[in-house]
Amino acid sequence: VQLQASGGGLVQPGGSLRLSCAASGFNFDDYAIGWFRQAPGKEREGVSCISSSGDFTHYEDSVKGRFTISRDNAENMVYLQMNSLKPEDTAVYYCAARSSPLYVGTWAVKTQYNYWGQGTQVTVSS
């Protein structure tokens, strides 16, 4: 099982980045995928998630309207388009996969995710 996050980098405030998560080694179509982030000295928090079919998405309040999650089941890929980036978005971003159903109240519960990838650093700074 592998989840490979990429696309991070240094960007100025107001800029954009698109993160990618490449999955392999499991039945991707059966798994919801989440993006989490962890800033220095802080807990890892949920940013967004998308259901296995792509029909349902959830976002953390601070990124609503700025970030968009999508997936391509034919390519086993999930994307996180991040616009209007702010310094407080600076963190290491991780993608994770879960086989359990997504619910509004539990989509960001880390223990409900079965597989995790390594992170990609996003730095928003002028």
Side-chain angles (χ1 to χ4, degrees), residues 30-104:
D30 291 339
Y31 283 73
I33 304 295
W35 283 100
F36 290 75
R37 65 187 179 187
Q38 188 166 18
K42 294 191 175 181
E43 293 267 336
R44 191 174 298 188
E45 65 174 358
V47 175
S48 181
C49 70
I50 188 165
S51 63
S52 57
S53 65
D55 290 341
F56 301 100
T57 58
H58 300 284
Y59 295 93
E60 193 267 329
D61 285 346
S62 71
V63 308
K64 285 180 181 176
R66 300 189 297 123
F67 291 10
T68 303
I69 191 170
S70 61
R71 67 188 292 159
D72 182 343
N73 283 2
E75 298 292 333
N76 285 13
M77 296 289 294
V78 173
Y79 304 99
L80 185 68
Q81 178 66 43
M82 306 188 297
N83 298 328
S84 303
L85 282 161
K86 304 176 181 180
E88 51 263 44
D89 295 317
T90 295
V92 178
Y93 283 70
Y94 301 87
C95 56
R98 63 184 279 167
S99 57
S100 55
L102 278 181
Y103 298 109
V104 172

